[in-house]
Amino acid sequence: MAGGLEPHLEALRRELHGPAVLSVLVALIAVAITFLIWRFVQGRRSSRKAVLLLGLCDAGKTLLFARLLSGQYRDTQTSITDSSAVYQVSQDKSTNVTLIDLPGHESLRLQFLERFKAAARAIVFVVDSVAFQREVKDVAEFLYQVLVDSTVLRNAPALLIACNKQDVTMAKSAKLIQQQLEKELNTLRVTRSAAPTSLDGSATGGPAQLGKKGKDFDFSQLPMKVEFVECSARGSKGEEGEADLEALEKWLVKVA
């Protein structure tokens, strides 16, 4: 009986050492490595729970911050430090992020961004839609500094351009703001001759390539997903009414 099984056992041993089995083992190892890399990336992302509110002075960041947290209108003044609070993105309170409102003053904004950028899961860049035509170069300059930062490029947090103050008749549309920002960022990319530095002032080793070389810049070329929304932290009815932040709130649910 044992002698009759020996040829079959020998054939099975040869099969187990054959090229087909080796291919299966290689495939399994590749899948395992891919899974481990995915878990590592997801782990790093889940450890970043901050949503940073950035923008120039008077863009409406602090009022937007207050409206998201309490729904109430409040008088605000130019911030000289950061403010943070936990924001519940779902009614069952099972999901939350930490909103951090950073100062927009030119002498402070990069200093505070340097402090919090590594924790950013997402960035809300608030634009004053009424003053945009006058401030477009300053807005683009600040946004450029954020986008070429090495930490931001590496972590690629989701980016929302919140076109605020849409309750005012003279407010520019999100579409126009996007077009003008792409044009200004393209100009900055071309005209910057010195190697950009990270927010801590250290050289990045050469000019950061914003977008695709040889093509006019647009936001789809960035490593992070960029979206534009129109909103109003003040609201169409002023202090007594509700803010118009529905699009922003839906975006926060997506990125949480």
Side-chain angles (χ1 to χ4, degrees):
M1 181 71 175
L5 288 175
E6 189 62 33
H8 297 289
L9 292 173
E10 182 61 30
L12 180 59
R13 280 193 289 269
R14 286 197 301 270
E15 285 292 329
L16 291 175
H17 290 83
V21 174
L22 183 60
S23 298
V24 171
L25 288 174
V26 171
L28 289 174
I29 292 171
V31 170
I33 292 173
T34 302
F35 176 73
L36 290 173
I37 293 173
W38 178 82
R39 285 295 300 269
F40 174 74
V41 172
Q42 288 297 108
R44 287 184 59 189
R45 183 175 184 273
S46 62
S47 68
R48 301 196 302 269
K49 298 289 289 182
V51 176
L52 309 184
L53 303 182
L54 309 180
L56 304 187
C57 282
D58 299 323
K61 300 184 304 299
T62 303
L63 179 56
L64 189 150
F65 175 78
R67 285 286 209 178
L68 285 171
L69 294 173
S70 68
Q72 301 300 312
Y73 179 91
R74 80 176 193 198
D75 291 325
T76 62
Q77 56 187 8
T78 300
S79 303
I80 59 172
T81 188
D82 60 280
S83 299
S84 64
V86 174
Y87 173 72
Q88 305 290 346
V89 299
S90 59
Q91 292 183 347
D92 61 5
K93 299 184 179 181
S94 62
T95 307
N96 61 71
V97 295
T98 301
L99 291 180
I100 306 179
D101 174 28
L102 302 186
H105 193 278
E106 185 177 3
S107 65
L108 298 173
R109 58 195 182 212
L110 294 184
Q111 171 190 338
F112 279 88
L113 182 54
E114 174 66 27
R115 185 182 303 177
F116 293 105
K117 64 183 182 180
R121 186 185 192 87
I123 293 173
V124 178
F125 193 96
V126 185
V127 175
D128 183 338
S129 303
V130 179
F132 177 73
Q133 208 66 51
R134 181 176 70 253
E135 297 178 342
V136 59
K137 292 187 181 299
D138 292 332
V139 173
E141 172 72 25
F142 183 23
L143 186 56
Y144 180 88
Q145 291 173 313
V146 173
L147 294 176
V148 298
D149 178 76
S150 58
T151 300
V152 174
L153 286 172
R154 180 174 64 252
N155 291 342
L159 174 62
L160 182 75
I161 311 297
C163 305
N164 193 24
K165 303 187 182 181
Q166 290 292 320
D167 57 291
V168 181
T169 305
M170 298 301 292
K172 305 303 180 187
S173 69
K175 183 176 181 180
L176 184 145
I177 289 172
Q178 178 176 348
Q179 292 171 343
Q180 289 295 313
L181 281 178
E182 287 176 337
K183 181 179 177 181
E184 288 296 329
L185 288 169
N186 188 64
T187 300
L188 280 170
R189 179 180 65 170
V190 172
T191 57
R192 285 295 173 94
S193 56
T197 58
S198 63
L199 297 181
D200 61 5
S202 60
T204 60
Q209 180 63 48
L210 189 67
K212 294 182 179 179
K213 189 174 182 179
K215 291 188 176 182
D216 288 341
F217 172 78
D218 67 68
F219 285 100
S220 67
Q221 299 167 4
L222 295 174
M224 71 283 289
K225 183 174 177 58
V226 183
E227 297 180 56
F228 283 72
V229 299
E230 296 181 353
C231 63
S232 172
R234 186 173 185 273
S236 59
K237 296 183 180 179
E239 300 178 15
E240 303 302 322
E242 295 183 354
D244 180 11
L245 301 177
E246 183 178 356
L248 171 56
E249 291 169 335
K250 287 181 177 179
W251 181 84
L252 287 170
V253 172
K254 285 195 303 183
V255 302

